[in-house]
Every structure is written in C-alpha cells, then in structure tokens.
Amino acid sequence: MTSGLRYLPAHLDPAAQRDFVELLRAAVTEAPFFTPIMPRTGRPFTVRMTNLGPLGWVSDRAGYRYQSTHPETGKPWPPIPPMVLDLWRKLSGYPQDPEACLVNYYRQGAKMGLHRDEDEEDFTAPVLSISLGDTAIFRIGGKERGGKTETLKLSSGDVLVMGGESRLCYHGIDRVLTGTSTLLKDGGRINLTLRRVTRPGATE
Ligand code: MD3
Ligand code: FE
C-alpha cells in the first residue's frame, strides 16, 4: 500500500455518521450542490459538489481553482462544523485547521476519473477523506499516470488520511455500489475531503 496513506475503516460509528449527515443537510441548504464542468471539454462531472470553509474548490470553463464564494449563489461557503474540525485535529497531524472541505455527492452512475489533487499550494498537509452512504470502489496508483493501481472499498464511516508520498498519488472512484447503505434517504454516496490550500503561515 502507498506510503503515507492511513486507512481507518469504520472510524465513525453509525451515530456519528448520522450526525455528519445532519450537519451536511443544513450546510447544503446554504450552499446547494452544483455541477462542475471540465475546463477543456466543457463536459459536466457526474459528481455534484459543494464546499464548506473559507475556500472551496470549483471547476468551470475558466479552469480549476479555490475561491471563497459559491459559484451560483455568490455567497461565502458555510463554515466547517466543529465536529468535522475535531476529526482533522485528531488525525491530520497538521498544526493548522483545514481551509477547504469539498463535499462530493455521487448519485447512481457517478464516478471520478483518475486524477491528482494538485490545485493546493501546500502539499505538506494531508488530505483527509470521510465516506458516507453507499460503498465506493476507490482506485489509487502512484505519482505518475499509467503506473500500476490497486483498489480499496470505501464504506460508510471509513476515513482515509493521505499524507506523505500518497498526497500526490493518482486516485479516483471507479463506481459506487448502489443500495449498500441506508444512511442517505435517497441513496448514493457523499465524500468529504478536508484540505489545507495555502502555504503554512499565509493566512494564520
Ligand atoms: C489519494 N475524492 O475530491 S476521496 C477528490 O471519494 C477525490 O470523492 C474521492 O478524489 C471521493 O479529489 C476520493 C480519497 C482521496 C482524496 C484525496 C487524495 C484520496 C486521495 C489525495 C491524494 C491521494
Ligand atoms: Fe482527488
């Protein structure tokens, strides 16, 4: 397994998972899911997204970037809830709080192609991922495209911490296994990724 990757299966118990979904329900009322667009092709992503925190990741014709406001409402993203920050403080080993919490929503048939997370300025901070709802087939490779890859099932309550070498590894979601969880009333899967965006000391 890729060095620096920590896999914490069932780190969140079912009660904690339900609490997270409740927090997200409120946040998504403030900052509704939007459909990102691939900058080169103009094709929509199959995953819908929103963000929490001072910065949010967006993608449109102009490119990929982090910005402080929702692309459709123009309002600042809602804050990252304290329960979510607590998880980062406990597991990230990083002295500063995350600036972005990207919320990915996978409905039936949604997937995410192999990519690297490289729109951040600070790669010394890990990315922390929280899976909720239906199980996903997660694929991870090496730092170069085209190398060998392996898969891991991510189930509701699983947490992944991608630090060290793993931070710049190619990864994606092959598919989501419909009906494997009852956590989300309408089914599907939600993934949260907590990220540090700016270099240490730049904003705090
Ligand atoms: C490995 N999300 O939002 S989370 C993404 O399940 C993203 O929605 C997937 O890839 C999802 O960018 C995977 C797990 C993850 C996140 C970041 C990583 C794995 C990673 C960064 C480096 C290596
Ligand atoms: Fe990613």
mmCIF file of all heavy atoms in Angstrom, residues 5 47 49 102 104 106 112 115 117 127 129 131 136 138 140 154 160 162 166-173 189 191-193 195, ligand 1:
data_model
loop_
_atom_site.group_PDB
_atom_site.id
_atom_site.type_symbol
_atom_site.label_atom_id
_atom_site.label_comp_id
_atom_site.label_asym_id
_atom_site.label_seq_id
_atom_site.Cartn_x
_atom_site.Cartn_y
_atom_site.Cartn_z
ATOM 1 N N LEU A 5 -0.337 6.664 3.393
ATOM 2 C CA LEU A 5 -1.807 6.534 3.368
ATOM 3 C C LEU A 5 -2.247 5.765 4.612
ATOM 4 O O LEU A 5 -1.740 4.681 4.883
ATOM 5 C CB LEU A 5 -2.227 5.804 2.095
ATOM 6 C CG LEU A 5 -3.720 5.596 1.842
ATOM 7 C CD1 LEU A 5 -4.015 5.633 0.352
ATOM 8 C CD2 LEU A 5 -4.185 4.244 2.406
ATOM 9 N N VAL A 47 -20.233 13.777 -10.734
ATOM 10 C CA VAL A 47 -20.294 14.039 -9.293
ATOM 11 C C VAL A 47 -20.769 15.471 -9.093
ATOM 12 O O VAL A 47 -20.327 16.377 -9.805
ATOM 13 C CB VAL A 47 -18.899 13.867 -8.652
ATOM 14 C CG1 VAL A 47 -18.941 14.132 -7.167
ATOM 15 C CG2 VAL A 47 -18.345 12.479 -8.934
ATOM 16 N N MET A 49 -21.076 18.771 -6.423
ATOM 17 C CA MET A 49 -20.173 19.243 -5.367
ATOM 18 C C MET A 49 -20.686 20.483 -4.661
ATOM 19 O O MET A 49 -21.440 21.266 -5.236
ATOM 20 C CB MET A 49 -18.810 19.615 -5.969
ATOM 21 C CG MET A 49 -18.082 18.444 -6.576
ATOM 22 S SD MET A 49 -16.482 18.937 -7.226
ATOM 23 C CE MET A 49 -15.933 17.330 -7.835
ATOM 24 N N LEU A 102 -14.309 19.924 0.736
ATOM 25 C CA LEU A 102 -15.044 19.645 -0.504
ATOM 26 C C LEU A 102 -16.030 18.517 -0.223
ATOM 27 O O LEU A 102 -15.664 17.505 0.381
ATOM 28 C CB LEU A 102 -14.053 19.253 -1.601
ATOM 29 C CG LEU A 102 -14.609 18.776 -2.938
ATOM 30 C CD1 LEU A 102 -15.432 19.865 -3.623
ATOM 31 C CD2 LEU A 102 -13.461 18.330 -3.843
ATOM 32 N N ASN A 104 -18.407 15.894 -2.038
ATOM 33 C CA ASN A 104 -18.730 15.246 -3.314
ATOM 34 C C ASN A 104 -19.964 14.378 -3.133
ATOM 35 O O ASN A 104 -20.035 13.592 -2.184
ATOM 36 C CB ASN A 104 -17.588 14.334 -3.775
ATOM 37 C CG ASN A 104 -16.348 15.102 -4.166
ATOM 38 O OD1 ASN A 104 -16.440 16.251 -4.579
ATOM 39 N ND2 ASN A 104 -15.200 14.463 -4.043
ATOM 40 N N TYR A 106 -22.257 11.541 -4.945
ATOM 41 C CA TYR A 106 -22.341 10.542 -6.012
ATOM 42 C C TYR A 106 -23.740 9.954 -6.026
ATOM 43 O O TYR A 106 -24.128 9.239 -5.103
ATOM 44 C CB TYR A 106 -21.345 9.400 -5.765
ATOM 45 C CG TYR A 106 -19.893 9.801 -5.811
ATOM 46 C CD1 TYR A 106 -19.295 10.437 -4.709
ATOM 47 C CD2 TYR A 106 -19.101 9.535 -6.912
ATOM 48 C CE1 TYR A 106 -17.963 10.797 -4.740
ATOM 49 C CE2 TYR A 106 -17.754 9.885 -6.946
ATOM 50 C CZ TYR A 106 -17.196 10.512 -5.856
ATOM 51 O OH TYR A 106 -15.871 10.869 -5.885
ATOM 52 N N MET A 112 -15.513 9.173 -10.596
ATOM 53 C CA MET A 112 -14.495 10.219 -10.725
ATOM 54 C C MET A 112 -13.244 9.592 -11.316
ATOM 55 O O MET A 112 -12.700 8.646 -10.747
ATOM 56 C CB MET A 112 -14.202 10.831 -9.356
ATOM 57 C CG MET A 112 -13.321 12.061 -9.429
ATOM 58 S SD MET A 112 -13.005 12.788 -7.829
ATOM 59 C CE MET A 112 -14.560 13.607 -7.537
ATOM 60 N N HIS A 115 -7.045 11.093 -11.139
ATOM 61 C CA HIS A 115 -6.502 12.458 -11.147
ATOM 62 C C HIS A 115 -5.598 12.624 -9.942
ATOM 63 O O HIS A 115 -5.559 11.765 -9.058
ATOM 64 C CB HIS A 115 -7.660 13.472 -11.057
ATOM 65 C CG HIS A 115 -8.372 13.396 -9.741
ATOM 66 N ND1 HIS A 115 -9.341 12.457 -9.451
ATOM 67 C CD2 HIS A 115 -8.202 14.098 -8.587
ATOM 68 C CE1 HIS A 115 -9.749 12.608 -8.210
ATOM 69 N NE2 HIS A 115 -9.069 13.588 -7.662
ATOM 70 N N ASP A 117 -4.650 15.519 -6.839
ATOM 71 C CA ASP A 117 -5.103 16.757 -6.212
ATOM 72 C C ASP A 117 -3.894 17.673 -6.164
ATOM 73 O O ASP A 117 -3.015 17.488 -5.320
ATOM 74 C CB ASP A 117 -5.621 16.495 -4.792
ATOM 75 C CG ASP A 117 -6.894 15.662 -4.779
ATOM 76 O OD1 ASP A 117 -7.241 15.089 -5.817
ATOM 77 O OD2 ASP A 117 -7.518 15.591 -3.714
ATOM 78 N N VAL A 127 -4.506 15.156 2.957
ATOM 79 C CA VAL A 127 -5.934 15.310 2.644
ATOM 80 C C VAL A 127 -6.639 14.250 3.474
ATOM 81 O O VAL A 127 -6.207 13.093 3.509
ATOM 82 C CB VAL A 127 -6.223 15.100 1.146
ATOM 83 C CG1 VAL A 127 -7.729 15.119 0.869
ATOM 84 C CG2 VAL A 127 -5.545 16.175 0.303
ATOM 85 N N SER A 129 -10.180 12.200 4.102
ATOM 86 C CA SER A 129 -11.441 11.881 3.434
ATOM 87 C C SER A 129 -12.369 11.085 4.344
ATOM 88 O O SER A 129 -11.941 10.181 5.059
ATOM 89 C CB SER A 129 -11.146 11.112 2.135
ATOM 90 O OG SER A 129 -12.053 10.071 1.913
ATOM 91 N N SER A 131 -16.050 8.983 4.186
ATOM 92 C CA SER A 131 -17.049 8.388 3.299
ATOM 93 C C SER A 131 -18.364 8.181 4.042
ATOM 94 O O SER A 131 -18.372 7.680 5.169
ATOM 95 C CB SER A 131 -16.558 7.031 2.779
ATOM 96 O OG SER A 131 -15.464 7.199 1.899
ATOM 97 N N ALA A 136 -17.985 2.693 -2.104
ATOM 98 C CA ALA A 136 -17.357 3.064 -3.382
ATOM 99 C C ALA A 136 -16.143 2.187 -3.640
ATOM 100 O O ALA A 136 -15.468 1.737 -2.708
ATOM 101 C CB ALA A 136 -16.915 4.522 -3.344
ATOM 102 N N PHE A 138 -12.680 2.605 -4.709
ATOM 103 C CA PHE A 138 -11.655 3.649 -4.798
ATOM 104 C C PHE A 138 -10.410 3.052 -5.457
ATOM 105 O O PHE A 138 -10.028 1.931 -5.138
ATOM 106 C CB PHE A 138 -11.343 4.125 -3.373
ATOM 107 C CG PHE A 138 -10.155 5.037 -3.230
ATOM 108 C CD1 PHE A 138 -10.185 6.326 -3.736
ATOM 109 C CD2 PHE A 138 -9.013 4.611 -2.562
ATOM 110 C CE1 PHE A 138 -9.091 7.174 -3.571
ATOM 111 C CE2 PHE A 138 -7.920 5.452 -2.397
ATOM 112 C CZ PHE A 138 -7.952 6.738 -2.906
ATOM 113 N N ILE A 140 -6.306 3.675 -6.415
ATOM 114 C CA ILE A 140 -5.129 4.517 -6.170
ATOM 115 C C ILE A 140 -3.912 3.949 -6.894
ATOM 116 O O ILE A 140 -3.721 2.725 -6.915
ATOM 117 C CB ILE A 140 -4.882 4.726 -4.651
ATOM 118 C CG1 ILE A 140 -3.684 5.666 -4.425
ATOM 119 C CG2 ILE A 140 -4.731 3.402 -3.911
ATOM 120 C CD1 ILE A 140 -3.682 6.384 -3.095
ATOM 121 N N LEU A 154 -14.406 1.705 -0.126
ATOM 122 C CA LEU A 154 -14.641 2.710 0.915
ATOM 123 C C LEU A 154 -16.104 2.652 1.327
ATOM 124 O O LEU A 154 -16.989 2.932 0.514
ATOM 125 C CB LEU A 154 -14.288 4.108 0.398
ATOM 126 C CG LEU A 154 -12.817 4.375 0.107
ATOM 127 C CD1 LEU A 154 -12.636 5.811 -0.384
ATOM 128 C CD2 LEU A 154 -11.962 4.136 1.354
ATOM 129 N N LEU A 160 -9.953 8.115 5.421
ATOM 130 C CA LEU A 160 -8.636 7.938 4.788
ATOM 131 C C LEU A 160 -7.830 9.202 5.068
ATOM 132 O O LEU A 160 -8.348 10.304 4.913
ATOM 133 C CB LEU A 160 -8.771 7.833 3.268
ATOM 134 C CG LEU A 160 -8.882 6.496 2.553
ATOM 135 C CD1 LEU A 160 -8.917 6.762 1.050
ATOM 136 C CD2 LEU A 160 -7.749 5.570 2.898
ATOM 137 N N MET A 162 -4.481 10.890 3.594
ATOM 138 C CA MET A 162 -3.470 10.801 2.555
ATOM 139 C C MET A 162 -2.374 11.809 2.841
ATOM 140 O O MET A 162 -2.482 12.982 2.507
ATOM 141 C CB MET A 162 -4.062 11.101 1.177
ATOM 142 C CG MET A 162 -4.785 9.945 0.548
ATOM 143 S SD MET A 162 -6.390 9.626 1.288
ATOM 144 C CE MET A 162 -7.112 11.219 1.184
ATOM 145 N N SER A 166 1.667 9.567 -0.461
ATOM 146 C CA SER A 166 0.329 9.310 -1.025
ATOM 147 C C SER A 166 -0.370 10.614 -1.429
ATOM 148 O O SER A 166 -1.275 10.596 -2.261
ATOM 149 C CB SER A 166 -0.544 8.540 -0.032
ATOM 150 O OG SER A 166 -0.954 9.363 1.053
ATOM 151 N N ARG A 167 0.058 11.725 -0.864
ATOM 152 C CA ARG A 167 -0.618 13.013 -1.106
ATOM 153 C C ARG A 167 -0.677 13.362 -2.595
ATOM 154 O O ARG A 167 -1.604 14.017 -3.042
ATOM 155 C CB ARG A 167 0.097 14.103 -0.303
ATOM 156 C CG ARG A 167 -0.410 15.531 -0.505
ATOM 157 C CD ARG A 167 -1.816 15.715 0.009
ATOM 158 N NE ARG A 167 -2.311 17.070 -0.231
ATOM 159 C CZ ARG A 167 -2.736 17.517 -1.412
ATOM 160 N NH1 ARG A 167 -2.706 16.716 -2.465
ATOM 161 N NH2 ARG A 167 -3.191 18.746 -1.533
ATOM 162 N N LEU A 168 0.338 12.939 -3.352
ATOM 163 C CA LEU A 168 0.367 13.295 -4.774
ATOM 164 C C LEU A 168 0.142 12.094 -5.689
ATOM 165 O O LEU A 168 0.512 12.107 -6.867
ATOM 166 C CB LEU A 168 1.667 14.036 -5.112
ATOM 167 C CG LEU A 168 1.685 15.481 -4.585
ATOM 168 C CD1 LEU A 168 3.068 16.103 -4.686
ATOM 169 C CD2 LEU A 168 0.656 16.354 -5.311
ATOM 170 N N CYS A 169 -0.465 11.059 -5.150
ATOM 171 C CA CYS A 169 -0.749 9.867 -5.961
ATOM 172 C C CYS A 169 -2.036 10.047 -6.771
ATOM 173 O O CYS A 169 -2.975 10.718 -6.325
ATOM 174 C CB CYS A 169 -0.901 8.639 -5.066
ATOM 175 S SG CYS A 169 0.668 8.041 -4.440
ATOM 176 N N TYR A 170 -2.048 9.425 -7.948
ATOM 177 C CA TYR A 170 -3.269 9.389 -8.757
ATOM 178 C C TYR A 170 -4.327 8.557 -8.041
ATOM 179 O O TYR A 170 -4.007 7.543 -7.409
ATOM 180 C CB TYR A 170 -2.972 8.793 -10.142
ATOM 181 C CG TYR A 170 -2.419 9.832 -11.085
ATOM 182 C CD1 TYR A 170 -1.052 10.071 -11.162
ATOM 183 C CD2 TYR A 170 -3.285 10.608 -11.852
ATOM 184 C CE1 TYR A 170 -0.557 11.054 -12.003
ATOM 185 C CE2 TYR A 170 -2.791 11.589 -12.693
ATOM 186 C CZ TYR A 170 -1.433 11.813 -12.774
ATOM 187 O OH TYR A 170 -0.959 12.802 -13.597
ATOM 188 N N HIS A 171 -5.569 8.990 -8.137
ATOM 189 C CA HIS A 171 -6.650 8.270 -7.475
ATOM 190 C C HIS A 171 -7.975 8.633 -8.138
ATOM 191 O O HIS A 171 -8.067 9.653 -8.838
ATOM 192 C CB HIS A 171 -6.683 8.606 -5.975
ATOM 193 C CG HIS A 171 -6.899 10.064 -5.721
ATOM 194 N ND1 HIS A 171 -5.876 10.987 -5.764
ATOM 195 C CD2 HIS A 171 -8.027 10.778 -5.481
ATOM 196 C CE1 HIS A 171 -6.362 12.188 -5.553
ATOM 197 N NE2 HIS A 171 -7.682 12.102 -5.373
ATOM 198 N N GLY A 172 -8.992 7.817 -7.898
ATOM 199 C CA GLY A 172 -10.312 8.094 -8.442
ATOM 200 C C GLY A 172 -11.341 7.128 -7.867
ATOM 201 O O GLY A 172 -11.006 6.271 -7.045
ATOM 202 N N ILE A 173 -12.585 7.324 -8.285
ATOM 203 C CA ILE A 173 -13.672 6.445 -7.843
ATOM 204 C C ILE A 173 -14.215 5.732 -9.081
ATOM 205 O O ILE A 173 -14.781 6.366 -9.978
ATOM 206 C CB ILE A 173 -14.785 7.258 -7.135
ATOM 207 C CG1 ILE A 173 -14.274 7.890 -5.826
ATOM 208 C CG2 ILE A 173 -16.020 6.369 -6.868
ATOM 209 C CD1 ILE A 173 -13.927 6.926 -4.699
ATOM 210 N N ARG A 189 -23.807 8.309 -2.383
ATOM 211 C CA ARG A 189 -22.631 8.421 -1.516
ATOM 212 C C ARG A 189 -22.181 9.874 -1.409
ATOM 213 O O ARG A 189 -22.221 10.606 -2.393
ATOM 214 C CB ARG A 189 -21.490 7.596 -2.104
ATOM 215 C CG ARG A 189 -20.141 7.814 -1.456
ATOM 216 C CD ARG A 189 -19.092 6.868 -2.013
ATOM 217 N NE ARG A 189 -17.856 6.984 -1.280
ATOM 218 C CZ ARG A 189 -16.832 7.759 -1.646
ATOM 219 N NH1 ARG A 189 -16.918 8.464 -2.758
ATOM 220 N NH2 ARG A 189 -15.743 7.815 -0.905
ATOM 221 N N ASN A 191 -18.806 12.074 -0.081
ATOM 222 C CA ASN A 191 -17.436 12.061 0.418
ATOM 223 C C ASN A 191 -17.012 13.478 0.779
ATOM 224 O O ASN A 191 -17.219 14.409 0.007
ATOM 225 C CB ASN A 191 -16.477 11.509 -0.644
ATOM 226 C CG ASN A 191 -15.042 11.473 -0.130
ATOM 227 O OD1 ASN A 191 -14.262 12.370 -0.371
ATOM 228 N ND2 ASN A 191 -14.715 10.450 0.625
ATOM 229 N N LEU A 192 -16.441 13.606 1.970
ATOM 230 C CA LEU A 192 -15.883 14.896 2.381
ATOM 231 C C LEU A 192 -14.367 14.805 2.276
ATOM 232 O O LEU A 192 -13.789 13.816 2.728
ATOM 233 C CB LEU A 192 -16.221 15.190 3.851
ATOM 234 C CG LEU A 192 -17.672 15.128 4.305
ATOM 235 C CD1 LEU A 192 -17.758 15.473 5.793
ATOM 236 C CD2 LEU A 192 -18.487 16.109 3.509
ATOM 237 N N THR A 193 -13.734 15.819 1.685
ATOM 238 C CA THR A 193 -12.280 15.887 1.774
ATOM 239 C C THR A 193 -11.893 17.197 2.431
ATOM 240 O O THR A 193 -12.318 18.279 2.011
ATOM 241 C CB THR A 193 -11.564 15.772 0.411
ATOM 242 O OG1 THR A 193 -12.180 16.612 -0.531
ATOM 243 C CG2 THR A 193 -11.545 14.340 -0.092
ATOM 244 N N ARG A 195 -8.973 19.798 3.353
ATOM 245 C CA ARG A 195 -7.713 20.186 2.725
ATOM 246 C C ARG A 195 -7.162 21.482 3.287
ATOM 247 O O ARG A 195 -7.904 22.409 3.591
ATOM 248 C CB ARG A 195 -7.929 20.434 1.229
ATOM 249 C CG ARG A 195 -8.414 19.239 0.456
ATOM 250 C CD ARG A 195 -9.499 19.661 -0.503
ATOM 251 N NE ARG A 195 -10.055 18.504 -1.191
ATOM 252 C CZ ARG A 195 -9.547 18.006 -2.312
ATOM 253 N NH1 ARG A 195 -8.512 18.569 -2.860
ATOM 254 N NH2 ARG A 195 -10.088 16.946 -2.863
HETATM 255 C C1 MD3 B 1 -5.395 9.984 -2.507
HETATM 256 N N1 MD3 B 1 -12.471 12.365 -3.983
HETATM 257 O O1 MD3 B 1 -12.368 15.032 -4.153
HETATM 258 S S1 MD3 B 1 -11.511 10.673 -1.533
HETATM 259 C C2 MD3 B 1 -11.417 14.397 -4.627
HETATM 260 O O2 MD3 B 1 -14.279 9.646 -2.844
HETATM 261 C C3 MD3 B 1 -11.442 12.921 -4.598
HETATM 262 O O3 MD3 B 1 -14.912 11.541 -3.607
HETATM 263 C C4 MD3 B 1 -12.687 10.931 -3.971
HETATM 264 O O4 MD3 B 1 -10.578 12.313 -5.125
HETATM 265 C C5 MD3 B 1 -14.049 10.689 -3.416
HETATM 266 O O5 MD3 B 1 -10.409 14.941 -5.107
HETATM 267 C C6 MD3 B 1 -11.635 10.213 -3.212
HETATM 268 C C7 MD3 B 1 -9.995 9.959 -1.100
HETATM 269 C C8 MD3 B 1 -8.821 10.738 -1.571
HETATM 270 C C9 MD3 B 1 -8.798 12.103 -1.590
HETATM 271 C C10 MD3 B 1 -7.625 12.779 -1.888
HETATM 272 C C11 MD3 B 1 -6.481 12.080 -2.203
HETATM 273 C C12 MD3 B 1 -7.707 10.045 -1.891
HETATM 274 C C13 MD3 B 1 -6.536 10.696 -2.212
HETATM 275 C C14 MD3 B 1 -5.273 12.733 -2.487
HETATM 276 C C15 MD3 B 1 -4.154 12.005 -2.762
HETATM 277 C C16 MD3 B 1 -4.211 10.625 -2.790
#
